Amino acid sequence: RLPETLSTAAPDSSSDRRQSFIQSFSPFLSIGISRTGSSMFEEASEVLENMLKWSFPLSLVLFLVLVCPLRAEAAHEFSVYRMQQYDLQGQTYGSRNAILNTEARSVEAEVLSRRCVMMRLADFSFEKYQKALRQSAGAVVIILPQNMSTMPQDIVQQFMELEPELLATETIVPVYFALEDEELLSIYTQTQISSSSQGSSSAAEVLLHTATANGFQMVTSGAQSKAVSDWAITSLEGRLTGAGEDLPTIVLVAHYDSFGVAPWLSYGADSNGSGVAVLLELARLFSRLYSYKRTHAGYNLLFFLSGGGKFNYQGTKRWLEDNLDHTDSSLLQDNVAFVLCLDTLGNSDNLHLHVSKPPKEGSPQHTLLKELETVRLSTRY
């Protein structure tokens, strides 16, 4: 779906049914960056806490600083994507806040409290992220490249492995992701230089810097997120009836949704676009085979595409609850030979079959396993 007009739009909390388990979220917001004088009241108070002695000239400078507001010199607006927020089985996940109105800092700054901490993906680490949260940062914005293929694969892989860990803990502050552009990178660079220069400064120098330096105020245009009350899960099924009566059923399942720390930035070609593609191709092939008496097998086939696969298979669970006891779902009653779940099939030339226990010889599962081994061996030569 197309994003709203970013300058004024509030998040639409019920529009994306694909991510049906996100109980509250703000999908598209815009962050406006105004270049102004630093947040002088906050910075000055923090500096003054560490100063032991005062002098009249310094007090006069402070008075002039505090009473002379500086106008914004420029502004830049860009789209951001908030970290997922959802509740699942009584457990809370992700970022619980959306409102942002605070000054930008890089993670190298000495003071991060109530600041918006900016990080590039190339420089991101879980330790830096935790540092920002420990210091009570007001928000975190992670800048992603426009084209992920330009990033070294080890950095991309590391971040993908961290995504579940980022979501595993409830985060009170807003966490946003933004795609870099020339203006945003310029802002980040200036913020990084400004943050680094404050690390070795004395209290008086920091105060002087507060009075003279330019900063960037980060402000979201959207409203606070609201819980989704009318969410639904869409599942798709197709059936091929075998030749005969009281036949066993083979169920082929794939979930169609992808997963990422921010839903609109998810990459799902492998998990699970590959599984969906294989299921649809199997349905096409078996549909042709079942149209001829000679190739009409003695099995019922059920093809099932589910939502919520990345949320503990909630779509499959709900579909079973809704259909298991219905007479028109008799394919599932007491005569399921086996269920084959198709997931993550496109990341290599190898296929991996995971089973709860080794199949008994002569069972349909054992026959399938032997056929797969035959195919594997034949492709070696």
Side-chain angles (χ1 to χ4, degrees), residues 158-186:
Q158 177 189 17
F159 187 75
M160 291 175 63
E161 292 172 357
L162 284 175
E163 283 186 289
E165 196 167 354
L166 294 176
L167 281 171
T169 306
E170 180 184 46
T171 305
I172 302 301
V173 302
V175 179
Y176 284 107
F177 297 84
L179 297 177
E180 66 183 19
D181 58 26
E182 185 175 344
E183 184 71 22
L184 184 56
L185 286 180
S186 174

Side-chain angles (χ1 to χ4, degrees), residues 19-34:
Q19 297 292 343
S20 51
F21 299 98
I22 303 170
Q23 295 299 304
S24 47
F25 58 91
S26 299
F28 289 101
L29 291 176
S30 61
I31 286 185
I33 302 182
S34 298

Side-chain angles (χ1 to χ4, degrees), residues 103-318:
E103 190 179 0
R105 284 286 184 273
S106 73
V107 74
E108 293 82 10
E110 287 290 317
V111 177
L112 299 180
S113 175
R114 300 189 299 278
R115 305 296 191 269
C116 176
V117 179
M118 302 178 69
M119 287 183 272
R120 293 183 67 188
L121 180 60
D123 307 318
F124 177 86
S125 71
F126 191 67
E127 290 73 22
K128 292 179 180 179
Y129 176 77
Q130 289 289 83
K131 172 191 173 184
L133 298 185
R134 283 196 305 269
Q135 293 195 23
S136 302
V140 176
V141 173
I142 300 172
I143 304 173
L144 306 176
Q146 286 282 353
N147 185 355
M148 290 293 287
S149 63
T150 62
M151 293 292 297
Q153 281 304 301
D154 58 330
I155 293 179
V156 176
Q157 186 62 34
Q158 177 189 17
F159 187 75
M160 291 175 63
E161 292 172 357
L162 284 175
E163 283 186 289
E165 196 167 354
L166 294 176
L167 281 171
T169 306
E170 180 184 46
T171 305
I172 302 301
V173 302
V175 179
Y176 284 107
F177 297 84
L179 297 177
E180 66 183 19
D181 58 26
E182 185 175 344
E183 184 71 22
L184 184 56
L185 286 180
S186 174
I187 292 168
Y188 172 75
T189 302
Q190 294 178 65
T191 301
Q192 192 175 38
I193 294 172
S194 176
S195 299
S196 300
S197 65
Q198 295 179 43
S200 58
S201 302
S202 66
E205 289 172 334
V206 171
L207 184 60
L208 182 61
H209 176 85
T210 299
T212 60
N214 289 329
F216 295 96
Q217 191 76 10
M218 312 283 277
V219 182
T220 49
S221 64
Q224 185 62 276
S225 58
K226 297 181 180 180
V228 179
S229 58
D230 59 346
W231 54 273
I233 308 169
T234 300
S235 297
L236 305 172
E237 63 177 281
R239 308 180 185 193
L240 291 172
T241 305
E245 297 181 359
D246 298 325
L247 298 174
T249 298
I250 294 175
V251 184
L252 298 129
V253 182
H255 70 86
Y256 60 78
D257 49 352
S258 61
F259 180 80
V261 68
W264 278 258
L265 300 177
S266 302
Y267 291 87
D270 187 31
S271 180
N272 190 31
S274 62
V276 172
V278 170
L279 185 141
L280 293 175
E281 180 64 7
L282 288 173
R284 184 186 71 83
L285 293 173
F286 278 106
S287 179
R288 295 189 64 181
L289 291 172
Y290 273 47
S291 22
Y292 301 100
K293 185 175 182 180
R294 185 171 59 88
T295 54
H296 200 165
Y299 285 93
N300 299 316
L301 298 180
L302 174 61
F303 302 90
F304 180 61
L305 287 172
S306 70
K310 294 295 187 178
F311 296 90
N312 199 22
Y313 303 100
Q314 290 295 309
T316 302
K317 291 180 179 180
R318 178 160 297 187

